Amino acid sequence: MTSIDETLAVAALTDVVWDHDDDVDFSQPFVDLDQWRDSPVRHRYVHGGFTGTDTRFSLYLPGPDAYEGRFFQHVTPVPQSENLAQVSASDYNPIAFAVDSGAYFVESNGGGPDAANPFSGTDQTIGAYRANAAVARFSRHVAQQVYGRRHRPYGYLYGGSGGAYRTIGSSENTSAVWDGFVPYVPGSPMSIPNVFSVRMHAQRILRDRFSEIVDAYDVGGDPASLVLTDEESAALEEVTRMGFPPRSWFAWKTMGMHAFSVLYPGVMAADPTYADEFWSVDGYLGAEHGSSVHRDRVRSATTVAQLVGVTETRGEQLTAGGVDESFLHSVDGQTASAIRLAHVSGGWMLGAQLVVGSGAAAGSVIRLSGVDGDLAHIEPGQDAVVSLLGVGDEVVLDNSSFLAVQTYHRHQVPGPEYAVWDQFRDDAGHPLLPQRPMLLGPMFTQHAAGTVPAGQISGKMIAVACLLDREAFPWQADWYRARVSEHLGDATDDRFRLWYVDNALHGDDDPQEFPDRSVAYLGVLETALRQLAAWVEDGVEPASTSTYTVTDGQVVIPEAATERGGVQPVVTLTVNGESNALARLGEPVVVRISAEAVGDGVVVEVRPVTGGVLGEPIAFEPAASVAIDHEVVFDEPGTHFVAVRVSAQTAGDADDPHARAQNIGRARITVTA
């Protein structure tokens, strides 16, 4: 069936007349594509941009029967593509969610590649909020044409990680563009590089002890039972007090550097004397001769033996003697993905880099994602330099700067509002160690947000943070709540909420890498957008701010669902009535799953997780709370874990596939013969 707006000619949108002049740099919009699409749901797709700029946008508009007068606009951590939603490989799709929520969906490239580059000279406010604001304003003009009536659609902006900075910056630096905001997994102005540096420091020192640490912080474990060296104990205490959630170490094998490999060269560029002073000046770890940082330091002179990952058109692997040397740099524009070195000495290789000493790339520094034996893996995005490399070029494998930056946070002590730095202050509040000339965190943050966040929000806001977040430590959302409270005072609850999500990480990936330990937070995010819209448009109060305390950098929430606030269900898993149970080999034990939804929610799905694999749903009638018993027999002695994932539809609609908040229950069983 063809709806009324499907009959509109393409010319209705491509022949744009717009008299909006809020931002003169974005005064000439254009539409270059207007078509109906059926995937992931039926919608009208409109693509365009702004003449004289690199800004491009995509709008995904539902038919008139589904449209309720609002839009959801997503912002990425850094300016990226305006086509991400339509090529998403995830089961979750923001277009389908928006359409099912009565909204059209908006995305942009955030101003283009220069807006993402802090060294491009582009006005940082373009990528922070101005490009997205121009797209939001113009989308309203398009909506009026598409739906054939004059109206002002309500607008809601949301983004995670770096996108949370941009969402907050948009709230604090614009007015009347958006009506509400959902920043999720947000950092603070002191996040970069400090949350990464302290984590890297712990990863280096504790690399041989993580199995014990994971077990100690798992259900039924005992952190007090850990037997560590003084250096190991100090590193674990330091990273924990800085805010790293100790339960999150379960992914230590795959945790890697995350964004730190990209960030730390920026630290070195902004503070060029730091690395030398780290190794020579009292008060820095590198000047302590007994520190393990000297054991792990690598400065290995070698040569390029082979460029790996570059193939000749005939499919031959390029080696020093295999093909003509002209092919050793790049073929068909593709450069090497790894470099085989003539020889490599031992040491801590995470974060090592190659300093090129001869050949066409002499003087360059190549970042590495890892070193396996004599094979150095190249961090993506360095084609211009890597293409100049040749076999026989002299290089030095060096991790000196990366080791130095791992304790940079100790020399970046901010104001007293950042309590996690108290471990580096004396009783009078003064830093215990030498400090660098400037705080880098606010500088990085301002590039993302346009200004340093101060809590002066416009509109209404629901922030979503995760208690297992390893990249944006959970206390930072509370830091921003405190800034908003300073601004709004007693009116804070009239315009702001903070929801914590237990057992959820920083990324919105689904399926989870460890489904028996973590859940996706997408259902909570969808709930935040829907409840935000109801709050703005109809005055319906959203779920209350989570109940929590912050102690020594750790956010702690109550166990009972009635006390937690937010929208996440609470799950309890016991074996013979205990979360840490004993059983005999071959003896049946009773596993009880208890789940309780919050507010108007209903529990809609219960799925056991066995051996790290998500099982089929257990049959039951959706309800506000459920209790399910089943028997399990263990046929091998040792320590076993059972887990279950529970989903609750937060509005009480068991048939709605959206807004399903998840949580995990987990229990330990020690089986003896």
Side-chain angles (χ1 to χ4, degrees):
M1 178 178 178
T2 302
S3 61
I4 294 174
D5 64 326
E6 288 187 60
T7 65
L8 292 176
V10 171
L13 293 183
T14 55
D15 187 17
V16 175
V17 177
W18 195 44
D19 59 1
H20 216 298
D21 59 354
D22 287 69
D23 192 328
V24 294
D25 290 335
F26 298 93
S27 60
Q28 298 180 42
F30 63 85
V31 170
D32 54 15
L33 185 60
D34 176 14
Q35 59 185 210
W36 279 91
R37 295 179 174 180
D38 293 319
S39 180
V41 293
R42 184 72 170 163
H43 68 277
R44 184 170 177 174
Y45 175 65
V46 176
H47 180 275
F50 293 87
T51 301
T53 78
D54 292 327
T55 300
R56 300 293 182 267
F57 60 80
S58 289
L59 313 179
Y60 308 83
L61 302 107
D65 293 341
Y67 178 60
E68 297 176 1
R70 68 180 67 94
F71 68 86
F72 295 147
Q73 182 173 357
H74 182 249
V75 290
T76 50
V78 296
Q80 289 178 265
S81 169
E82 76 278 15
N83 300 310
L84 294 179
Q86 55 190 289
V87 298
S88 172
S90 170
D91 291 339
Y92 167 76
N93 189 280
I95 303 171
F97 167 70
V99 170
D100 288 349
S101 303
Y104 63 88
F105 182 69
V106 180
E107 62 179 344
S108 84
N109 68 350
D114 283 347
N117 182 359
F119 305 107
S120 67
T122 300
D123 184 342
Q124 64 187 11
T125 62
I126 291 175
Y129 56 84
R130 286 173 55 203
N132 287 314
V135 170
R137 289 192 297 264
F138 182 63
S139 80
R140 290 192 171 100
H141 177 77
V142 172
Q144 289 186 20
Q145 288 190 281
V146 165
Y147 298 111
R149 58 187 175 90
R150 293 191 62 83
H151 69 295
R152 181 191 178 277
Y154 291 97
Y156 305 99
L157 188 72
Y158 69 108
S161 190
Y165 284 137
R166 300 171 73 199
T167 300
I168 289 170
S170 297
S171 176
E172 295 195 6
N173 291 286
T174 68
S175 61
V177 178
W178 298 280
D179 302 283
F181 306 85
V182 180
Y184 59 99
V185 292
S188 72
M190 287 301 296
S191 287
I192 301 172
N194 304 299
V195 298
F196 295 104
S197 65
V198 71
R199 192 181 93 182
M200 294 297 104
H201 178 66
Q203 284 179 251
R204 179 181 67 82
I205 292 176
L206 299 170
R207 61 186 185 266
D208 296 325
R209 309 305 297 274
F210 278 127
S211 294
E212 301 161 63
I213 293 169
V214 170
D215 185 72
Y217 282 97
D218 206 342
V219 60
D222 180 13
S225 68
L226 285 169
V227 179
L228 305 174
T229 68
D230 290 346
E231 184 183 44
E232 290 167 345
S233 294
L236 183 58
E237 180 182 4
E238 180 176 349
V239 71
T240 303
R241 292 183 65 186
M242 280 291 287
F244 186 98
R247 288 188 295 137
S248 205
W249 284 118
F250 61 81
W252 64 274
K253 290 183 180 179
T254 57
M255 197 175 297
M257 293 183 286
H258 198 259
F260 198 47
S261 63
V262 176
L263 294 172
Y264 100 86
V267 176
M268 295 295 97
D271 193 351
T273 65
Y274 171 72
D276 288 340
E277 293 177 24
F278 172 85
W279 294 105
S280 60
V281 176
D282 288 345
Y284 294 91
L285 185 64
E288 297 178 12
H289 296 295
S291 169
S292 66
V293 74
H294 296 282
R295 174 200 67 199
D296 290 332
R297 190 179 188 184
V298 176
R299 290 174 292 175
S300 178
T302 183
T303 59
V304 175
Q306 179 185 9
L307 300 176
V308 180
V310 179
T311 56
E312 197 179 0
T313 54
R314 295 189 303 275
E316 298 176 351
Q317 188 175 46
L318 301 183
T319 62
V323 296
D324 182 78
E325 190 173 333
S326 62
F327 286 102
L328 288 175
H329 302 298
S330 64
V331 174
D332 296 334
Q334 182 182 358
T335 58
S337 61
I339 302 166
R340 193 171 302 283
L341 303 173
H343 58 86
V344 177
S345 59
W348 174 247
M349 294 299 181
L350 186 65
Q353 57 193 18
L354 282 180
V355 181
V356 185
S358 68
S364 301
V365 176
I366 298 173
R367 302 189 310 275
L368 303 177
S369 59
V371 180
D372 295 326
D374 61 358
L375 194 64
H377 297 278
I378 301 168
E379 189 79 23
Q382 304 177 89
D383 285 358
V385 173
V386 175
S387 65
L388 300 176
L389 275 181
V391 169
D393 285 354
E394 296 175 353
V395 295
V396 175
L397 185 64
D398 193 341
N399 67 352
S400 300
S401 294
F402 192 79
L403 289 175
V405 82
Q406 289 176 8
T407 48
Y408 198 78
H409 55 280
R410 298 180 180 179
H411 312 285
Q412 291 279 283
V413 177
E417 68 273 21
Y418 292 95
V420 299
W421 267 271
D422 286 350
Q423 60 187 304
F424 306 115
R425 303 185 227 263
D426 62 20
D427 292 341
H430 301 130
L432 292 167
L433 300 170
Q435 296 298 294
R436 305 310 299 166
M438 70 179 79
L439 296 177
L440 297 190
M443 180 181 69
F444 282 110
T445 303
Q446 183 166 330
H447 174 73
T451 55
V452 177
Q456 298 179 348
I457 64 172
S458 61
K460 291 180 166 62
M461 179 179 289
I462 300 177
V464 176
C466 298
L467 291 182
L468 296 186
D469 197 330
R470 306 175 301 229
E471 286 78 42
F473 297 163
W475 64 262
Q476 295 177 108
D478 171 70
W479 179 92
Y480 190 67
R481 181 209 56 78
R483 305 290 79 74
V484 173
S485 184
E486 289 173 353
H487 174 56
L488 295 179
D490 293 340
T492 299
D493 284 347
D494 296 334
R495 292 172 55 191
F496 184 84
R497 294 288 192 275
L498 167 56
W499 296 345
Y500 276 111
V501 186
D502 196 13
N503 297 309
L505 301 166
H506 187 73
D508 55 6
D509 306 320
D510 203 28
Q512 298 289 292
E513 181 182 10
F514 300 93
D516 57 343
R517 293 183 179 272
S518 65
V519 296
Y521 55 77
L522 291 170
V524 176
L525 179 60
E526 291 180 333
T527 301
L529 287 165
R530 285 182 171 179
Q531 291 198 10
L532 180 65
W535 195 13
V536 168
E537 298 167 26
D538 302 316
V540 178
E541 291 281 332
S544 63
T545 287
S546 295
T547 301
Y548 63 91
T549 58
V550 183
T551 304
D552 279 339
Q554 296 299 308
V555 176
V556 181
I557 58 175
E559 292 187 5
T562 54
E563 300 175 6
R564 283 195 179 186
V567 297
Q568 187 183 29
V570 175
V571 185
T572 303
L573 189 65
T574 60
V575 177
N576 289 346
E578 303 288 341
S579 60
N580 183 19
L582 298 175
R584 288 194 173 277
L585 196 65
E587 175 186 72
V589 295
V590 177
V591 176
R592 163 157 283 214
I593 303 165
S594 301
E596 184 177 359
V598 175
D600 296 328
V602 292
V603 178
V604 294
E605 186 179 77
V606 175
R607 300 182 70 174
V609 188
T610 305
V613 178
L614 195 63
E616 292 299 315
I618 298 173
F620 69 96
E621 286 296 319
S625 62
V626 299
I628 300 171
D629 290 343
H630 66 281
E631 286 192 347
V632 175
V633 176
F634 294 94
D635 55 9
E636 291 185 7
T639 300
H640 300 264
F641 292 90
V642 291
V644 64
R645 191 188 78 180
V646 171
S647 301
Q649 210 288 329
T650 55
D653 183 356
D655 295 324
D656 189 345
H658 302 293
R660 294 186 168 205
Q662 300 176 350
N663 206 346
I664 283 279
R666 189 170 167 87
R668 179 194 298 251
I669 310 98
T670 302
V671 179
T672 61

